[in-house]
Amino acid sequence: MTDVTTSAAVSARHDWASNAAKRRVKSRYAKDRRLQMYGIAAIGFAMILLGILITSLFYAGYVAFSTTKVELGVYLDSKQIDPKTPEKANYRKIVRNAFLGYFPNVKGRKEQRNLLKIISSGAPFILRDYVVDNPDQIGKLVKVQVPVSDPFDQLYKGVIPRQIDALSFDRIDTFEGLRQQGVLSAPDGRTVVKMTVFLDPERVSAGQFSAIANEAFKAFFPQARNTAFVEILGGDAAKRLQAFVEANPDMVGKTAEVSLPISTNYDNLFRTGEAKVRNPRFASDNVFVWFDALVTQDLVSTPFTWELFFNADSRFPELAGLAGAISGSALALLVCFLISFPVGIAGAIYLEEFAPKNRYTDIIEVNINNLAAVPSVVFGLLGLAVFLNVFGLPRSAPIVGGMVLSLMTLPTIIVATRAALKAVPPSIREAALGVGASKHQMVLHHVLPLALPGILTGTIIGLAQALGETAPLLLIGMNAFIPSVENIGIMQPATALPTQIFAWADSPERGFVSRTSAAILVLLGFLAIMNAIAIFLRQRFERKW
Amino acid sequence: MNDATGSVNAGIPLSAEEMSKIAPGLAHDIKIKSSDVEVHYGDKQALFDVNLDIPANQVIALIGPSGCGKSTYMRCLNRMNDTIDIARVTGTIEIDGVDIYQKKIDVVELRARVGMVFQKPNPFPKSIFENVAYGPKIHGLAASKSDMEEIVVESLTKAGLFDEVKDRLEAPGTGLSGGQQQRLCIARAIATKPEVILMDEPCSALDPIATAKIEELIDELKQNYTIVIVTHSMQQAARVSQMTAFFHLGYLVEVGETDQIFTNPQDKRTQDYITGRFG
Amino acid sequence: MFGYVLITLIALSLAGFVLGRQRALAAVSGTAANLHSLPNYHGYFIAAWVGVPALVLVLVWLLFQGSVIDVLLMRSLPADKIAGLSQSELALLISEVKSVAGGAIFGTPAAHVVEAAERYNAWQSIARWAMAAAAIALALVAMLIARARIAKDFRARQGVEHVMDGLMIFCSAIAILTTLGIVTSLAIEAYRFFQLVSPLQFFFGLNWEPQIAIRADQVTAGGAFGAIPVYVGTLLIAFIAMAVATPIGLLSAIYLTEYASPKVRAVVKPLLEILAGIPTVVYGFFAVLVVAPAMRNFGQAIGFDIAPNSALAAGGVMGIMLIPFISSLSDDAIAAVPQSLRDGSYGLGATKSETIISVLLPAALPGIMGGILLAVSRAIGETMIVVMAAGIIASLTLNPFEPVTTVTVQIVTLLIGDTEFDNPKTLAAFALGLVLFLVTLCLNVIALRIVQKYREQYD
């Protein structure tokens, strides 16, 4: 190291005051801010999605927490209801007559049928249950709240409209193209399209006037890929054309200019700017009048949906509840807990405290780590092939569900237990061994009690994960349709909360959208409670050594 | 005085009287001037009212028992405390007369000019070449590839490492021995062409032979750089430094020429520490 | 019956406990200090001997009783009634017999069914009583044997601890048993599948139409079980998911570890964990309820046709699910980079982004890669989101706006509802399951090894 090189280095010291250096530093800071912005954007994106997810569930789900009900005044005629066997009466007829009694002017089978569609098909059962519970009411006039059927429930809550757009975007687009050609006019309250037709003698004699009209109409849509646009022409266009030919027989074989009417929806669209039709969920326009009458008479109310928690599943969304799913999940979790908790703790104690470090324990550890990452659907396959086929356990039963879930929960509990055991300081162990305790006594009497809060925390988190598992339960059939909660048991067919959500999400009725969201909110509520308990345990009992 | 850097940015001129008060017998410029420096970590105060002037082109050793604030003080000099969320620094520290805690001061530039070597060698998990080239690259000090090579070779040479690694510049820096790694870190610091080098117990993780090499290196480097070294070892302080500052419980107790501090300490605490009563 | 047997066994165990205590005390004429082990340990010793073997017997008995009786029942059916029945028809007959035996009678069952049902009930009760008798006999014999060993110098504590060791080893071995169970059951069913359909076709065929194959004359109809489109669909959706999750997860991890103040971290991290704790069925519903319609509307607005069950919707929502997963694993990896490297970089005057990009990320790369591989394995194995949001028809396309199907979707659709184990349609699900298990296993093993190596490096 000579003085020459050092002085050269010194003289080459960077000129931080130069403009180039300042620019460079500036751009480096800009880069730094950019990375920070990307980070904030990423987190913001994730948070926004979380927000959208939760709000959309609340938005779609909150309506399911109230049910639109109509008050039904029923005279419980003892002639119709035998007080000895109240459950055997024809409640369908009683409900029918009671409800039709509100609308004495509605006659005719079809009208009455439409009217009866306002109340839920479950109404007779509700009345039956009421009478069976209150047999002393027989012979009296009672007021019973029965749910309205799904479309009216949704209508009253404002989820679905009375009228919907009759035409889709692309239909309107197509029509817009026609309008821009300036051939449309509405001279006498009905929109007509002015077009040139060739009155082919052959077709005229065969009476194929609609073919002639359609042929000519096609000319307006040279780029159309299909012939859906013919629906724009009114159904009476052919008749109008025929009338024109009959009035002007000399035009046959020539081209003529005619004005043909267009169909109702497009007519409305042209004249009023919008085309609406009655929501097809409703049978006729009259039902709105009837329903409005019920509303104005103050017979309609929206009490809290206790049915969501106390009813079992139903094909009618306004009656469907989660009682079956909640009890099924509870039973499966109970089985899962009874298996995975003792087994997990025993296994973890062995691995952490007793196991020699050898091939066998290495294999077990690798196995546990891998099991935690095996796709849940594979556990379902295992349950199906082993528990159902080899052991012949009943399909759809909570015991099988619980067993499969316990295999999935086991790694979580083992890992948590080992961590909790590890956290107990050696001083405690030494103290126990020092007074002559055996290793088993040391673990059972001293280490395990101190590790228990951590173990419980891990167990609850594992059970919360198990509560949300769906795929393995689907494979072992724990998505049974359970319409009553009378026959619940660990060997009985059952359903679970997540599989119920899956089943409802697949149902076509509009009301199940809100029911599904509500069920998800209930599930998330349970998960939140379990996690809150876990956090509480962790903060309250876990000590730092 | 014959140093080129001293005139690049003329500091506040010190009177001879002041100078003699701080470091009697030393005729060097003041490179770093700290006044009333205090550091808080959250609610805890780690440094109390430190006033210390550090002369250019000398080695100053900061000594004291663990937790006395010497590292904390040193980390103020290149604002490494900024990287700790809860740290708060008050008072002023001037380098060449410029307050480094003013708003417009850029830590990036500051840290390039005030290099740092850490307690444990911390080479990046990259090649030896990339380790040294990292600083010049981010600061844009090399205009071309050959410039960069020149800087790397020069820095490694100055750090006394070049001959040992010249055949394996592409090998990972983490593969070197501890002493070599620490010299690599010194080369890395030199590569950004600093004026001051801070060394935080640079030899505490090294064996005696490696330590001796580093100490030799420090001695050579002081020709061109102002060096602040934190050390636990009294002998090391005595060997490498011209000035010594003794810290205790967050206070700067005593500062002076190394010979004076070790032979004739003014403060009882310093005396106790040096004679081994506590520490 | 099981309940009664269980209660009896518990009572016997308690009796054994009392017996052991008394006998131990009697052996030293009441001076407990003369015993090698505490009297309670003698009690535990007998209780364990009484309870454990009998309980194991009961559980094994229960596990196999159903299958054994089924086989017996099958054999006992008159030969002329079961001749020519396929396996599924036979299964139907058996379940009819069982429902008749359970008292649920629809219409008038055939005479041989009623007979079989009576036999079934008789066997059931025989089996139950035999189980009870065997279990109690075993418990009593064990009690006698154990009681004979109680003596002054008998090391009862060691005996009990040996039993505990055995139980604990068994519990820890359940992980292995589970893996073995998965591998064997999948392998056996997949083997049966490959006897019906050639592996060549399954692994390289381009046509997947398992539903057609229900008809007997089309069991191995040409090209029906070519799983390539299913694999391609799986990879497409996994790719989309990773394309969403990796940048977002990684960037948020970078922000949280290096930029965010502790306060922000304390708020954002739990929020991200909420995202991780939401069950996948909820994500599936979210995809159907919000994401797919939104994408469709967006597509319509710009004049572009996006299928309602497009790969993009399913993959995108799966990506949301994976964000917290990647974020937390990357977070761990970046946080594990030693502070000294950060200091080294900052000490040279590097900005945060320079430190992150040129020092922290390269140093954390193995950990991040491991996390990404684990996430890929999750994406491939994820079921509910794709079952609800992706397609069922296997079409060979890489267009993200078209519907595709995945391995897990096929497994669920093939197995949901009635399952018959002589049908290639059902068995195909197990073959797919085997492929899924092996692929995810490989990914997991590699990923876990990388992560572990990485942790060791900086420990």
Side-chain angles (χ1 to χ4, degrees):
Chain A
M1 198 183 283
T2 63
D3 279 343
V4 180
T5 52
T6 44
S7 62
V10 170
S11 64
R13 249 174 207 162
H14 194 62
D15 180 10
W16 285 102
S18 75
N19 279 336
K22 279 183 179 157
R23 263 203 307 279
R24 198 183 151 77
V25 169
K26 217 171 172 181
S27 87
R28 286 170 62 196
Y29 276 117
K31 240 183 236 163
D32 188 50
R33 275 194 301 278
R34 216 146 49 222
L35 183 64
Q36 192 171 357
M37 287 317 296
Y38 291 151
I40 292 175
I43 288 177
F45 183 71
M47 293 299 112
I48 286 172
L49 285 173
L50 178 65
I52 292 176
L53 192 145
I54 302 288
T55 32
S56 62
L57 288 177
F58 267 103
Y59 183 72
Y62 83 96
V63 291
F65 287 100
S66 65
T67 308
T68 312
K69 290 191 174 174
V70 56
E71 188 181 288
L72 206 55
V74 195
Y75 174 58
L76 299 175
D77 192 346
S78 54
K79 278 180 219 146
Q80 288 173 315
I81 306 170
D82 183 351
K84 280 173 208 144
T85 53
E87 68 278 2
K88 288 217 171 123
N90 186 349
Y91 289 101
R92 181 166 297 279
K93 196 172 150 201
I94 297 171
V95 166
R96 187 190 139 90
N97 290 338
F99 191 60
L100 289 179
Y102 283 157
F103 299 95
N105 299 331
V106 177
K107 305 274 188 227
R109 280 179 58 91
K110 197 177 167 212
E111 287 282 271
Q112 288 187 342
R113 201 161 59 230
N114 285 343
L115 174 58
L116 284 168
K117 277 184 186 158
I118 291 180
I119 52 172
S120 165
S121 323
F125 305 109
I126 292 166
L127 182 63
R128 182 194 65 191
D129 292 348
Y130 175 81
V131 175
V132 170
D133 289 345
N134 306 288
D136 54 317
Q137 297 289 327
I138 294 172
K140 293 179 188 160
L141 180 69
V142 295
K143 285 179 176 170
V144 185
Q145 304 279 339
V146 299
V148 299
S149 66
D150 180 46
F152 291 93
D153 185 36
Q154 304 289 322
L155 176 71
Y156 191 65
K157 290 168 181 166
V159 180
I160 58 173
R162 298 178 178 211
Q163 306 248 302
I164 58 171
D165 285 325
L167 300 167
S168 64
F169 282 125
D170 43 339
R171 297 270 154 91
I172 293 176
D173 261 7
T174 311
F175 185 68
E176 207 48 39
L178 184 66
R179 182 208 292 266
Q180 276 164 17
Q181 296 178 37
V183 293
L184 295 171
S185 58
D188 46 3
R190 177 82 198 270
T191 315
V192 293
V193 52
K194 193 194 271 180
M195 54 200 273
T196 314
V197 296
F198 172 60
L199 297 169
D200 185 344
E202 258 175 53
R203 283 186 168 172
V204 171
S205 59
Q208 296 167 338
F209 291 101
S210 71
I212 296 171
N214 287 345
E215 185 69 30
F217 193 57
K218 218 183 267 177
F220 292 121
F221 307 96
Q223 275 139 20
R225 267 170 284 167
N226 54 36
T227 54
F229 57 79
V230 297
E231 69 169 31
I232 295 176
L233 266 189
D236 52 350
K239 225 176 247 168
R240 191 76 78 82
L241 185 60
Q242 188 176 8
F244 172 80
V245 172
E246 277 159 10
N248 308 287
D250 53 320
M251 295 300 286
V252 175
K254 298 178 191 157
T255 52
E257 190 148 282
V258 290
S259 286
L260 298 181
I262 67 173
S263 57
T264 321
N265 287 333
Y266 291 98
D267 178 42
N268 285 337
L269 182 63
F270 182 72
R271 287 187 296 107
T272 65
E274 57 175 10
K276 293 274 190 189
V277 290
R278 187 181 66 244
N279 192 330
R281 289 173 201 276
F282 300 101
S284 72
D285 285 326
N286 280 341
V287 297
F288 299 127
V289 179
W290 298 327
F291 188 68
D292 289 344
L294 289 173
V295 174
T296 45
Q297 285 172 47
D298 244 0
L299 291 169
V300 177
S301 59
T302 53
F304 184 77
T305 314
W306 291 108
E307 290 89 339
L308 186 64
F309 299 96
F310 297 116
N311 274 16
D313 200 3
S314 165
R315 301 214 185 281
F316 303 106
E318 69 274 13
L319 299 175
L322 291 169
I326 291 175
S327 55
S329 269
L331 285 174
L333 277 193
L334 180 71
V335 173
C336 170
F337 173 77
L338 288 179
I339 296 175
S340 59
F341 188 65
V343 170
I345 291 183
I349 290 180
Y350 177 72
L351 290 176
E352 191 61 37
E353 304 284 339
F354 294 101
K357 196 79 187 123
N358 59 21
R359 249 337 242 296
Y360 171 72
T361 49
D362 272 357
I363 292 176
I364 293 183
E365 292 212 14
V366 171
N367 247 303
I368 289 170
N369 285 336
N370 277 326
L371 275 188
V374 168
S376 60
V377 70
V378 171
F379 284 96
L381 289 172
L382 172 78
L384 180 57
V386 175
F387 296 149
L388 296 191
N389 278 356
V390 178
F391 295 157
L393 289 170
R395 197 178 149 78
S396 308
I399 187 165
V400 185
M403 284 163 80
V404 171
L405 292 179
S406 71
L407 294 183
M408 304 179 60
T409 317
L410 211 48
T412 315
I413 295 186
I414 290 182
V415 170
T417 305
R418 293 187 67 173
L421 291 174
K422 236 181 240 165
V424 177
S427 58
I428 302 252
R429 292 157 209 267
E430 283 157 9
L433 293 176
V435 297
S438 75
K439 204 166 177 197
H440 288 76
Q441 288 169 328
M442 169 198 95
V443 172
L444 278 186
H445 299 165
H446 300 284
V447 178
L448 195 56
L450 288 173
L452 209 55
I455 298 174
L456 281 177
T457 308
T459 306
I460 294 171
I461 289 172
L463 288 179
Q465 281 167 4
L467 178 59
E469 276 301 338
T470 320
L473 298 185
L474 283 183
L475 292 199
I476 57 146
M478 242 187 101
N479 55 344
F481 180 67
I482 307 294
S484 110
V485 280
E486 281 156 22
N487 205 5
I488 296 286
I490 59 167
M491 304 296 262
Q492 303 300 325
T495 184
L497 260 178
T499 46
Q500 184 76 75
I501 289 168
F502 175 63
W504 281 358
D506 247 11
S507 303
E509 286 86 357
R510 189 68 180 72
F512 275 121
V513 173
S514 58
R515 288 274 152 162
T516 312
S517 307
I520 287 176
L521 292 178
V522 171
L523 173 64
L524 292 182
F526 279 120
L527 291 180
I529 291 171
M530 292 173 83
N531 281 297
I533 293 174
I535 292 169
F536 171 77
L537 274 178
R538 183 180 301 165
Q539 290 183 342
R540 178 80 175 69
F541 293 109
E542 211 168 52
R543 23 180 156 168
K544 289 263 183 284
W545 300 95
Chain B
M1 269 317 207
N2 53 1
D3 184 277
T5 50
S7 55
V8 167
N9 197 341
I12 299 169
L14 280 173
S15 66
E17 184 195 14
E18 266 181 304
M19 183 85 79
S20 61
K21 216 162 55 187
I22 304 152
L26 287 175
H28 278 93
D29 280 349
I30 296 302
K31 184 73 182 174
I32 304 171
K33 181 177 171 58
S34 339
S35 334
D36 311 326
V37 176
E38 303 206 334
V39 178
H40 292 79
Y41 290 121
D43 298 333
K44 221 181 127 240
Q45 188 162 4
L47 212 57
F48 300 85
D49 193 28
V50 172
N51 291 283
L52 177 62
D53 292 359
I54 296 171
N57 292 69
Q58 287 216 348
V59 179
I60 178 168
L62 311 182
I63 61 171
S66 344
C68 65
K70 53 192 191 298
S71 287
T72 304
Y73 170 70
M74 193 172 81
R75 290 171 74 95
C76 294
L77 301 182
N78 66 346
R79 292 181 56 177
M80 276 302 272
N81 283 327
D82 289 16
T83 61
I84 301 166
D85 289 325
I86 53 168
R88 196 159 47 80
V89 179
T90 55
T92 54
I93 296 176
E94 289 170 2
I95 294 183
D96 292 336
V98 179
D99 181 3
I100 61 168
Y101 275 90
Q102 331 172 30
K103 250 205 167 134
K104 62 171 192 182
I105 284 293
D106 173 25
V107 290
V108 161
E109 179 193 329
L110 173 72
R111 288 179 191 155
R113 291 173 52 195
V114 182
M116 188 161 187
V117 177
F118 297 85
Q119 191 167 2
K120 252 178 72 189
N122 55 353
F124 301 133
K126 297 164 178 274
S127 74
I128 293 170
F129 185 91
E130 282 174 335
N131 259 289
V132 181
Y134 178 68
K137 199 173 85 192
I138 58 175
H139 295 301
L141 302 188
S144 67
K145 223 181 143 198
S146 62
D147 271 10
M148 181 64 87
E149 277 167 19
E150 211 173 291
I151 293 176
V152 170
V153 171
E154 190 187 300
S155 307
L156 283 170
T157 311
K158 279 195 189 173
L161 189 62
F162 185 64
D163 289 337
E164 290 162 59
V165 300
K166 63 183 172 201
D167 301 325
R168 45 180 177 139
L169 288 177
E170 293 312 314
T174 44
L176 297 172
S177 75
Q180 287 174 323
Q181 284 190 10
Q182 194 62 301
R183 277 180 283 151
L184 177 62
C185 292
I186 293 174
R188 192 173 68 186
I190 293 171
T192 57
K193 309 205 164 134
E195 297 152 33
V196 179
I197 300 177
L198 310 176
M199 297 189 173
D200 190 357
E201 303 191 34
C203 303
S204 65
L206 304 181
D207 60 70
I209 296 171
T211 303
K213 273 204 172 150
I214 303 270
E215 286 179 4
E216 250 171 68
L217 181 59
I218 292 171
D219 206 44
E220 279 178 37
L221 291 173
K222 78 165 191 287
Q223 295 175 36
N224 297 308
Y225 307 98
T226 304
I227 294 176
V228 182
I229 177 168
V230 163
T231 177
H232 247 102
S233 150
M234 232 68 58
Q235 291 85 345
Q236 187 171 55
R239 281 195 299 268
V240 300
S241 69
Q242 284 76 54
M243 276 185 74
T244 297
F246 173 64
F247 283 77
H248 182 51
L249 296 176
Y251 291 94
L252 172 60
V253 174
E254 190 171 356
V255 59
E257 271 181 85
T258 301
D259 288 346
Q260 176 250 315
I261 292 278
F262 278 87
T263 53
N264 183 23
Q266 304 294 306
D267 194 288
K268 173 135 192 330
R269 286 169 292 180
T270 319
Q271 197 178 354
D272 286 349
Y273 183 67
I274 285 167
T275 52
R277 299 259 176 84
F278 67 89
Chain C
M1 179 56 84
F2 172 70
Y4 292 124
V5 173
L6 203 67
I7 290 169
T8 315
L9 287 181
I10 290 172
L12 280 174
S13 285
L14 283 175
F17 176 76
V18 174
L19 185 74
R21 252 185 79 92
Q22 280 173 353
R23 191 168 164 81
L25 284 171
V28 290
S29 34
T31 325
N34 289 345
L35 282 168
H36 168 268
S37 306
L38 291 174
N40 274 357
Y41 276 106
H42 293 271
Y44 290 138
F45 180 74
I46 295 193
W49 267 76
V50 170
V52 175
L55 194 65
V56 170
L57 176 84
V58 168
L59 288 179
V60 172
W61 190 298
L62 281 179
L63 283 180
F64 290 101
Q65 173 182 315
S67 330
V68 171
I69 290 186
D70 278 3
V71 171
L72 285 176
L73 191 62
M74 198 101 76
R75 294 235 181 100
S76 76
L77 287 172
D80 58 312
K81 300 290 184 194
I82 58 171
L85 290 185
S86 80
Q87 214 172 336
S88 56
E89 286 166 315
L90 211 58
L92 211 64
L93 186 62
I94 295 286
S95 63
E96 190 190 346
V97 168
K98 281 185 194 167
S99 63
V100 170
I105 300 169
F106 304 102
T108 38
H112 68 277
V113 171
V114 176
E115 254 171 56
E118 281 162 6
R119 263 200 308 280
Y120 178 77
N121 277 340
W123 280 334
Q124 283 267 330
S125 77
I126 291 173
R128 279 196 294 265
W129 283 109
M131 176 186 80
I136 291 167
L138 183 64
L140 289 173
V141 170
M143 192 190 291
L144 285 179
I145 296 175
R147 183 175 171 272
R149 294 181 60 182
I150 304 287
K152 174 171 166 285
D153 290 329
F154 177 59
R155 300 177 162 228
R157 182 172 57 71
Q158 275 85 341
V160 172
E161 290 178 357
H162 280 310
V163 174
M164 277 168 62
D165 281 344
L167 284 177
M168 286 194 298
I169 291 177
F170 172 74
C171 288
S172 69
I174 285 194
I176 292 189
L177 290 181
T178 308
T179 309
L180 278 182
I182 289 173
V183 172
T184 32
S185 60
L186 291 181
I188 289 174
E189 307 297 348
Y191 174 74
R192 288 172 60 193
F193 172 73
F194 287 130
Q195 283 182 322
L196 297 171
V197 176
S198 99
L200 216 61
Q201 190 209 339
F202 178 72
F203 286 110
F204 301 107
L206 297 179
N207 194 8
W208 179 266
E209 285 168 6
Q211 303 298 345
I212 294 170
I214 289 175
R215 295 216 301 276
D217 53 329
Q218 275 193 337
V219 160
T220 52
F225 284 101
I228 289 280
V230 182
Y231 302 144
V232 171
T234 308
L235 293 179
L236 176 64
I237 287 185
F239 178 79
I240 294 170
M242 294 310 293
V244 172
T246 311
I248 295 177
L250 193 55
L251 282 171
S252 44
I254 287 172
Y255 183 79
L256 285 179
T257 49
E258 300 301 315
Y259 286 107
S261 67
K263 267 188 201 153
V264 172
R265 224 174 7 243
V267 174
V268 172
K269 274 196 113 175
L271 281 176
L272 279 178
E273 274 166 28
I274 291 182
L275 220 43
I278 292 175
T280 55
V281 67
V282 178
Y283 281 109
F285 185 63
F286 178 61
V288 177
L289 181 73
V290 178
V291 179
M295 280 184 181
R296 204 171 156 67
N297 288 342
F298 177 74
Q300 235 158 23
I302 59 168
F304 192 76
D305 200 27
I306 299 179
N309 48 358
S310 66
L312 194 62
V317 172
M318 195 190 282
I320 302 174
M321 180 200 82
L322 292 175
I323 289 173
F325 194 67
I326 293 201
S327 164
S328 77
L329 287 169
S330 309
D331 197 319
D332 291 349
I334 295 173
V337 175
Q339 182 63 29
S340 67
L341 285 186
R342 283 187 189 84
D343 285 348
S345 183
Y346 290 137
L348 288 171
T351 61
K352 266 193 175 160
S353 67
E354 285 159 355
T355 306
I356 291 163
I357 290 168
S358 9
V359 177
L360 297 185
L361 287 186
L365 193 64
I368 294 173
M369 279 314 294
I372 289 178
L373 281 185
L374 281 178
V376 170
S377 151
R378 270 217 170 177
I380 290 175
E382 169 46 42
T383 309
M384 289 322 292
I385 294 177
V386 279
V387 165
M388 296 171 84
I392 290 178
I393 309 296
S395 49
L396 188 56
T397 175
L398 286 177
N399 183 348
F401 305 112
E402 299 271 315
V404 294
T405 193
T406 74
V407 171
T408 49
V409 170
Q410 288 307 313
I411 292 176
V412 171
T413 43
L414 291 176
L415 289 182
I416 222 165
D418 291 328
T419 48
E420 298 140 11
F421 274 74
D422 58 342
N423 185 322
K425 175 190 146 197
T426 310
L427 295 174
F430 284 87
L432 286 175
L434 185 64
V435 173
L436 176 67
F437 177 72
L438 292 179
V439 169
T440 52
L441 184 73
C442 287
L443 283 171
N444 295 340
V445 169
I446 295 171
L448 288 174
R449 187 144 306 169
I450 293 177
V451 170
Q452 202 172 12
K453 277 257 165 68
Y454 169 71
R455 280 201 195 123
E456 281 163 11
Q457 187 191 337
Y458 289 123
D459 262 351

